[in-house]
Amino acid sequence: MVRLNKNGGPRNPEKIDRMCALFTDLSSKDMKRDLYIVAHVIRIGRMLLNDSKKGPPHLHYRRPYGCAVLSIMDALQSISEIKEEKDFVLKVYT
C-alpha cells in the first residue's frame, strides 16, 4: 500500500525507497502465463465531490476511485531490451 498526498506525490518522501515490491516465488512456468500487476486506487476523505469545509471534519471514508493494470510480460520485455531499470506509468481508469 502506498499513500499519496492530494497532489499525487508520496505522503512520506523520506520513505520513497520503500515503495516497491519483490516477487520471489514466481517460477518459469508462472512467467509464461498472462500475469498482471493490478493497482486499486482508494480515495480516503469526505464524501463530497470537492473538499469544502462543510460537514463534520472528523469523518473520512474509504471509497473506490480507480484501477490500473500493467502486463508483467510487457514490462519484462522492455526491461530486457534496455538492460537497466525503467519506470512504468499506469493509466488509472476511474
Side-chain angles (χ1 to χ4, degrees), residues 7-64:
N7 299 324
R11 190 177 212 177
N12 299 326
E14 64 276 0
K15 297 181 181 178
I16 192 108
D17 56 335
R18 295 183 191 168
M19 293 185 194
C20 62
L22 177 64
F23 302 96
T24 59
D25 56 348
L26 294 174
S27 67
S28 58
K29 184 178 177 181
D30 291 330
M31 296 307 289
K32 292 178 183 173
R33 299 172 57 200
D34 285 337
L35 295 176
Y36 299 92
I37 294 175
V38 179
H40 295 272
V41 181
I42 305 293
R43 185 186 191 288
I44 299 175
R46 300 171 189 239
M47 287 298 286
L48 304 172
L49 290 176
N50 58 6
D51 284 335
S52 67
K53 301 297 179 193
K54 295 179 184 176
H58 63 281
L59 293 177
H60 291 282
Y61 300 96
R62 288 175 46 105
R63 60 186 189 274

Side-chain angles (χ1 to χ4, degrees), residues 40-89:
H40 295 272
V41 181
I42 305 293
R43 185 186 191 288
I44 299 175
R46 300 171 189 239
M47 287 298 286
L48 304 172
L49 290 176
N50 58 6
D51 284 335
S52 67
K53 301 297 179 193
K54 295 179 184 176
H58 63 281
L59 293 177
H60 291 282
Y61 300 96
R62 288 175 46 105
R63 60 186 189 274
Y65 179 78
C67 186
V69 178
L70 175 68
S71 170
I72 291 180
M73 272 307 227
D74 294 344
L76 288 176
Q77 286 174 354
S78 64
I79 289 173
S80 65
E81 291 171 2
I82 59 174
K83 306 272 191 238
E84 63 183 39
E85 280 189 27
K86 183 177 178 183
D87 292 332
F88 293 94
V89 177

